[in-house]
Amino acid sequence: MMKTGRGRFYQISPIKGFANREIAISAAWMDEYRERVYDQIEDLPLEALDQEAPGTGLTIGRLVLHLGWAESYWIGRITESKIQADFSESLSAGSLKNFEENPVPSLEAAELISLCRRVRDEMTIPGLMSVKDSGISCWEDGSTFRGVLGQLQWHWIYHSGQIGLIRFEWGSDYQWTMGSPMAPEG
């Protein structure tokens, strides 16, 4: 089984309504990285989402929940946004503290995607819209909004690679494709 992936998209425009253009572009890049992950998993059955990479405790379902959980955690920290308790519970299996335990059975791909989209729509975008200075420190250690958003972008890309490998090990390759010229928004 092979899936030809959606084309990589490079012509990213800032999301409208943001107080800071750099943050609007960072949020738009995160949208692109999320869509790549969604494309990697949307066609997979539960069997594939629960496939464990030997000796790691990592499954595709666990990694996607981890991506949603981490985004809600970091965005919550820098914007002081809170999520509803039931929503937080839905993401909790993705918490790093649970990675010492065996993975729980995965949700369906559509449910995983829906949870991550909800983090984006209810926390990330509304929480970042009013930030005026991307270089301002958001914690006592000197971390900035720019730095935390860079970490989140890296995080989506890093785990996308792991998801691709686990998918391949399960028996379904994902063919990466180019979508547009490599020319970022001007």
Side-chain angles (χ1 to χ4, degrees):
M1 184 170 144
M2 161 93 82
K3 178 178 182 181
T4 300
R6 67 188 281 280
R8 286 176 244 177
F9 193 70
Y10 299 98
Q11 295 179 337
I12 303 299
S13 298
I15 298 174
K16 296 187 183 319
F18 276 64
N20 181 281
R21 187 174 194 282
E22 182 182 359
I23 290 177
I25 290 173
S26 288
W29 274 109
M30 281 181 33
D31 281 352
E32 175 60 18
Y33 303 143
R34 278 189 217 93
E35 290 303 319
R36 168 64 60 186
V37 169
Y38 304 158
D39 191 60
Q40 285 180 283
I41 70 164
E42 67 187 359
D43 64 320
L44 294 177
L46 281 172
E47 175 188 336
L49 298 171
D50 283 333
Q51 169 77 30
E52 185 176 341
T56 67
L58 297 178
T59 66
I60 293 172
R62 175 178 253 181
L63 286 169
V64 175
L65 273 178
H66 173 65
L67 286 162
W69 171 84
E71 186 171 330
S72 73
Y73 174 79
W74 290 108
I75 293 296
R77 281 195 66 193
I78 64 175
T79 66
E80 298 180 4
S81 301
K82 303 285 184 222
I83 60 175
Q84 297 171 356
D86 66 323
F87 185 29
S88 179
E89 179 62 30
S90 298
L91 296 169
S92 66
S95 170
L96 281 176
K97 70 179 182 177
N98 293 327
F99 273 50
E100 293 179 9
E101 300 170 14
N102 290 329
V104 298
S106 182
L107 299 170
E108 297 279 351
E111 294 172 284
L112 294 168
I113 293 167
S114 178
L115 285 172
C116 290
R117 286 184 198 264
R118 189 171 168 196
V119 171
R120 183 237 187 241
D121 294 343
E122 293 181 20
M123 289 189 75
T124 304
I125 299 303
L128 295 174
M129 287 187 96
S130 63
V131 177
K132 293 184 172 122
D133 184 353
S134 62
I136 193 167
S137 178
C138 50
W139 295 316
E140 290 179 11
D141 72 354
S143 295
T144 64
F145 286 91
R146 179 185 300 121
V148 173
L149 293 177
Q151 157 61 22
L152 284 170
Q153 290 175 26
W154 173 89
H155 197 239
W156 278 94
I157 294 167
Y158 177 79
H159 288 307
S160 175
Q162 292 176 318
I163 289 166
L165 179 60
I166 296 170
R167 180 185 174 116
F168 181 76
E169 289 175 342
W170 176 73
S172 177
D173 200 2
Y174 182 86
Q175 181 180 6
W176 296 85
T177 61
M178 299 293 286
S180 65
M182 287 183 267
E185 183 271 335

